[in-house]
Amino acid sequence: MTSLRKTAVSGLKWTLVERFSLQGISFIASIVLARLLQPAEFGLIGMITIFISLGQTLMDAGLTSSLIRTHNPDKLDYSTVFVANLVFSSVIYCLIFLSAPFIARFYNQPLLTSIIRTLCLVIMIRAVTSIQYTHLVKSMAFRKLMMTQLPANLAGVAAGISMAYQGYGVWSLVFMQLISGIFGGVFLWISSRWRPSLLFSSERFRHHVKYGMHLAGSGILNTVFDNIYNVVIGRFYNATQLGYYTRSLTLQQLPVTNVAAAVDKVAFPLFASIQNDNEKLRSAYRQLMQQIIFWIAPALIGMAVLARPLFGLLFTDKWLPAVPYFQILAVAGILYPIHAYNLDILKVKGRSDLFFKIEVIKKIIIGAGVLVSLSFGIYGLLFFQVLFSVIALFINSHYSGKFIGFPLLQQIKAIAGSLLLSILMGCICYFTERLLQDQSYSIRLICGSAAGAAFYLGISLLTRQEAAYNFYHQFFKQKQLS
């Protein structure tokens, strides 16, 4: 267990470095591009995000997750999934290519035809590199992954900003993603020793599909319903409002993506390696969940309270109408890590059937909620996301709590201290910012953040919060905690 913990902590460190670096690059790029481009141009990309995400989900079909979960997969396993991904991606891209004019007509945006045909090439790129990526993840070679993703993102950002300065508008956003994908694929092939042999086994394919089909079904549902707000806002409102929404969602996901997604990349293979030991699995799950909430909750609450000076300073006043969008989305995002890790338990236990069942139930609730919320305007859609986040917490934790003996009430108790401190910290940020409301955006933001951070970290140390104590020892002392 000590060796496994060290491997997980080492992997988490490199993954966090990768995520913070990548998101730092993306964040700086988003600031520059938000100043150069109009909200409506971001809205155009938001309209087609669902098709890119859906294409990537269908292309993989849960097969790479099956590879990660499989003990000692051989060359035939990897090659079979590689061939399947190539075939799936080719068919999917052709379908999207042919459907592009109808998608553009749906949104009443003729430019979308050429945009979607160009940007969806990333689906083909992901198919060619999916096994290299999976091979590195399964071996927990997160340092290598970092070294492939950083230069690729830098290349894409450089291209995007350069095109924006030259007046290419929305195409700067398109080619930023496309070039990042191309360079990332090249670096993955260089870093991974695995090479395709074009071998294919129907038996292995059926084995991986049997596990992956439920995840693929869940992924399709997740993709459709995660992007349903983009579709509804883009169709029933306009590109500018969708631009405000996507910018708010991107900023909300900054701490979630940096921390939660980084940990999730380590968590799934870690949980899979101890899937048959419920005590170890429960302990690992509890500590990971505590760490995530300890950092994400104050970050989101602080950003929500200081949203006006934050948006004004970073993106200029033209983006201030997005502030209330962001504040509501920030509250909805706090519980995301708990949702994700509860579902990870089902995956490592091999219960992809329950995973799919849960996703179907949640999507029915989302569909009904969106229909009802439409009559209350765009803010009705936003507030429903907060309500659904709470509802989903009860649904996601039902089966996983039974499997490892860690029900929802115990989960809430484990993170209650961090949540309470985060709320108090938000009050400190609010009153500090209000006292300085006549000052510049930068002074209000810096002083409010500093006061909140000092309060949160100071009280955490004084009260010896378990998450703070564990973080110090695991990342600095490297001691095994009981």
Side-chain angles (χ1 to χ4, degrees), residues 234-365:
R235 178 65 177 82
F236 294 100
Y237 299 96
N238 55 57
T240 298
Q241 285 180 291
L242 181 55
Y244 292 146
Y245 175 80
T246 56
R247 170 56 47 210
S248 300
L249 187 62
T250 300
L251 190 59
Q252 177 245 45
Q253 290 177 338
L254 187 63
V256 174
T257 302
N258 273 333
V259 183
V263 174
D264 192 49
K265 189 185 294 184
V266 178
F268 186 46
L270 171 63
F271 290 169
S273 66
I274 53 177
Q275 60 185 283
N276 296 319
D277 190 328
N278 285 342
E279 185 177 347
K280 290 180 180 178
L281 189 56
R282 181 172 58 250
S283 176
Y285 172 77
R286 185 175 186 275
Q287 291 194 31
L288 284 172
M289 182 182 65
Q290 282 184 321
Q291 287 300 321
I292 295 303
I293 296 298
F294 181 77
W295 297 106
I296 284 184
L300 286 175
I301 291 177
M303 291 169 69
V305 172
L306 301 172
R308 188 171 184 83
L310 179 64
F311 272 73
L313 178 65
L314 296 180
F315 308 126
T316 72
D317 287 354
K318 69 182 178 183
W319 287 95
L320 289 181
V323 166
Y325 293 25
F326 172 74
Q327 291 173 324
I328 300 170
L329 290 172
V331 175
I334 293 174
L335 297 177
Y336 168 81
I338 307 178
H339 300 321
Y341 300 142
N342 272 294
L343 294 176
D344 273 348
I345 298 298
L346 294 181
K347 289 193 288 184
V348 299
K349 286 294 185 180
R351 297 306 304 270
S352 55
D353 57 330
L354 290 178
F355 187 103
F356 182 69
K357 177 183 177 181
I358 287 174
E359 291 305 310
V360 171
I361 293 172
K362 290 191 298 184
K363 273 37 180 185
I364 292 173
I365 296 173

Side-chain angles (χ1 to χ4, degrees), residues 158-292:
I161 292 176
S162 176
M163 291 181 68
Y165 269 114
Q166 295 177 53
Y168 283 93
V170 68
W171 287 103
S172 60
L173 300 174
V174 173
F175 279 93
M176 180 173 70
Q177 294 186 45
L178 196 58
I179 290 173
S180 291
I182 293 172
F183 276 84
V186 171
F187 295 142
L188 276 171
W189 272 72
I190 294 173
S191 298
S192 174
R193 295 180 181 179
W194 184 87
R195 292 294 180 267
S197 58
L198 299 183
L199 298 173
F200 186 84
S201 167
S202 298
E203 181 182 353
R204 301 293 178 89
F205 176 72
R206 287 193 297 270
H207 167 75
H208 293 299
V209 166
K210 183 178 179 181
Y211 174 81
M213 64 179 180
H214 294 297
L215 296 183
S218 300
I220 292 169
L221 286 173
N222 275 330
T223 299
V224 171
F225 284 91
D226 285 348
N227 289 277
I228 193 171
Y229 299 99
N230 285 17
V231 174
V232 170
I233 295 171
R235 178 65 177 82
F236 294 100
Y237 299 96
N238 55 57
T240 298
Q241 285 180 291
L242 181 55
Y244 292 146
Y245 175 80
T246 56
R247 170 56 47 210
S248 300
L249 187 62
T250 300
L251 190 59
Q252 177 245 45
Q253 290 177 338
L254 187 63
V256 174
T257 302
N258 273 333
V259 183
V263 174
D264 192 49
K265 189 185 294 184
V266 178
F268 186 46
L270 171 63
F271 290 169
S273 66
I274 53 177
Q275 60 185 283
N276 296 319
D277 190 328
N278 285 342
E279 185 177 347
K280 290 180 180 178
L281 189 56
R282 181 172 58 250
S283 176
Y285 172 77
R286 185 175 186 275
Q287 291 194 31
L288 284 172
M289 182 182 65
Q290 282 184 321
Q291 287 300 321
I292 295 303

Side-chain angles (χ1 to χ4, degrees), residues 385-439:
Q385 292 193 46
V386 178
L387 175 62
F388 176 75
S389 183
V390 176
I391 295 172
L393 181 62
F394 288 90
I395 298 173
N396 289 337
S397 62
H398 177 70
Y399 288 111
S400 58
K402 288 183 176 180
F403 284 139
I404 63 172
F406 194 36
L408 178 59
L409 184 59
Q410 291 185 26
Q411 294 182 31
I412 293 175
K413 286 181 178 179
I415 61 173
S418 295
L419 290 177
L420 178 60
L421 275 180
S422 297
I423 294 171
L424 294 175
M425 181 218 67
C427 295
I428 299 296
C429 293
Y430 173 79
F431 288 116
T432 302
E433 194 269 340
R434 294 300 296 171
L435 287 173
L436 300 170
Q437 59 181 321
D438 294 330
Q439 302 298 317

